Amino acid sequence: MMLSPERLALPDYEYLAQRHVLTYMEDAVCQLLENKEDVSQYGIARFFTEYFNSVCQGTHILFREFSFVQATPHNRASFLRAFWRCFRTVGKNGDLLTMKEYHCLLQLLCPDFPLELTQKAARIVLMDDAMDCLMSFSDFLLAFQIQFYYSEFLESVAAIYQDLLSGKNPNTVIVPTSSSGQHRQRPVLGEASMLEGVEASLFYQRLESLCDRHKYSCPPPALVKEVLSNVQRLTFYGFLVALSKHRGISQALGALPDKGDLMHDPAMDEELDRLLAQIPDLVNSVSASPEASCLPSRTPHRAGFSWRPLHHARKVDAESDGSTEETDESEI
């Protein structure tokens, strides 16, 4: 088996720490103990094989708690990729959604996903517009990628930006937030500071020092310098917009395809076509079965069969009282 140059250059303990192997081992053991009755039927070896296969495939983060989803860079990239693959049809269909509706989609994959992160990603897209404005899928996804993957780094950047505006000592050490899922409120910037911004060269000097000592993920310093070299002054959100639109930064992160290919996923399209092709056969086989003829007729539940875009749901719900309760025959 050939080992990568990176693997050969690092001691074992450093390589394992860099790849967060202990995090996955601890999680696998916890999953094993929680499902020990099921695991006993097919063996521990098979369980660990399937667990680490799911880690490699990036499906291990689905429907997990946020503390696990954000625990490692690989988990974050896997979540971004899963969100894109699951909901890219929103962009393919040209649907525009609000921040709250995108948050609902995120919660389908991670039930306790924090609203604050979604709000920060939306602010990168909307800037000064109201938070209930509509956004395209590609715009939100690229902004969300930067905000989610580099969350702790951006918190430190916000603090540096605020210090530069207020003229504080540039040697102040910025301590990143912990990875416990608690995120500090981003500094509220006045209208004057939003318009004026800070000097780009000085801003980069502070960011370069931050990248050198930051223990969390941060964009490649060379690409950050490239972003800042094109302007003399910039605002905080102007910087975030530039990061989200920079092709090189997205490629370095490696979770999503280029913006022009966001609506294309041939492997997923092929799988969906295969599943859709099976649906008529499945319906026909169920209808033709002897058991199906014995089933009582029943009016379908109005919300149980077809998916509808979230931004159309409010209109439908407003036209009915929303009641789905059935009358008990004993009360008639």
Side-chain angles (χ1 to χ4, degrees):
M1 181 178 65
M2 294 292 294
L3 297 178
S4 66
E6 178 188 13
R7 173 66 186 88
L8 293 172
L10 290 175
D12 290 345
Y13 67 91
E14 287 188 16
Y15 180 81
L16 294 176
Q18 187 183 75
R19 297 297 179 178
H20 302 274
V21 174
L22 182 58
T23 299
Y24 296 119
M25 285 299 300
E26 291 176 347
D27 183 65
V29 171
C30 289
Q31 296 293 317
L32 175 65
L33 295 176
E34 291 176 5
N35 302 279
K36 56 185 178 181
E37 293 183 2
D38 296 331
V39 172
S40 63
Q41 298 177 9
Y42 52 85
I44 294 178
R46 180 179 171 186
F47 168 81
F48 278 104
T49 299
E50 293 183 355
Y51 175 88
F52 282 101
N53 280 339
S54 71
V55 171
C56 292
Q57 295 165 5
T59 57
H60 63 300
I61 44 77
L62 292 174
F63 319 118
R64 293 294 304 273
E65 62 280 4
F66 179 73
S67 59
F68 179 73
V69 168
Q70 64 133 25
T72 71
H74 175 66
N75 285 10
R76 297 187 188 198
S78 298
F79 186 80
L80 287 168
R81 195 175 298 111
F83 181 75
W84 162 63
R85 299 194 74 184
C86 288
F87 302 116
R88 69 188 173 88
T89 51
V90 172
K92 207 171 183 181
N93 296 335
D95 293 327
L96 302 177
L97 304 183
T98 65
M99 179 276 298
K100 289 185 178 179
E101 290 168 337
Y102 281 115
H103 185 66
C104 288
L105 296 183
L106 289 166
Q107 287 186 310
L108 290 177
L109 302 182
C110 175
D112 65 337
F113 196 91
L115 177 62
E116 185 182 356
L117 272 181
T118 314
Q119 291 173 329
K120 289 179 177 180
R123 179 56 64 200
I124 298 174
V125 179
L126 299 174
M127 299 290 284
D128 296 329
D129 293 332
M131 290 295 284
D132 59 352
C133 289
L134 299 174
M135 295 173 281
S136 71
F137 180 75
S138 58
D139 285 345
F140 175 79
L141 180 61
L142 293 176
F144 176 70
Q145 172 181 234
I146 293 297
Q147 179 59 61
F148 175 60
Y149 194 86
Y150 296 126
S151 180
E152 294 84 3
F153 172 76
L154 295 185
E155 291 298 325
S156 297
V157 172
I160 287 175
Y161 182 85
Q162 187 66 24
D163 287 348
L164 290 175
L165 285 175
S166 59
K168 288 186 178 179
N169 184 354
N171 294 321
T172 302
V173 176
I174 306 298
V175 180
T177 56
S178 67
S179 58
S180 62
Q182 300 296 324
H183 298 272
R184 294 181 299 174
Q185 187 66 34
R186 188 164 284 166
V188 179
L189 306 176
E191 292 184 6
S193 64
M194 287 294 290
L195 293 174
E196 296 175 3
V198 298
E199 186 179 340
S201 59
L202 182 58
F203 190 43
Y204 174 70
Q205 291 176 12
R206 298 288 302 277
L207 294 189
E208 186 178 29
S209 175
L210 175 65
C211 291
D212 290 341
R213 65 174 184 269
H214 209 277
K215 67 177 181 178
Y216 297 103
S217 298
C218 60
L223 297 181
V224 174
K225 182 178 182 179
E226 181 180 319
V227 168
L228 296 176
S229 64
N230 296 323
V231 294
Q232 291 184 341
R233 301 183 69 85
L234 83 167
T235 64
F236 176 68
Y237 282 105
F239 175 65
L240 298 191
V241 170
L243 290 181
S244 68
K245 293 183 177 181
H246 196 284
R247 181 181 180 184
I249 291 177
S250 183
Q251 289 177 336
L253 198 153
L256 303 175
D258 291 340
K259 185 175 182 178
D261 297 326
L262 282 177
M263 303 308 143
H264 304 289
D265 186 1
M268 180 63 76
D269 288 338
E270 183 178 346
E271 181 66 15
L272 288 175
D273 290 342
R274 185 184 67 80
L275 293 174
L276 290 173
Q278 294 176 356
I279 291 177
D281 297 336
L282 179 62
V283 172
N284 292 335
S285 64
V286 171
S287 301
S289 65
E291 293 82 358
S293 62
C294 300
L295 295 175
S297 61
R298 181 182 179 91
T299 302
H301 191 285
R302 69 178 179 90
F305 285 86
S306 61
W307 179 87
R308 57 190 179 185
L310 294 175
H311 57 284
H312 294 314
R314 291 188 290 270
K315 179 179 178 181
V316 176
D317 293 341
E319 295 174 353
S320 70
D321 59 2
S323 174
T324 58
E325 295 182 359
E326 298 179 0
T327 304
D328 190 333
E329 293 182 358
S330 64
E331 297 177 358
I332 301 177

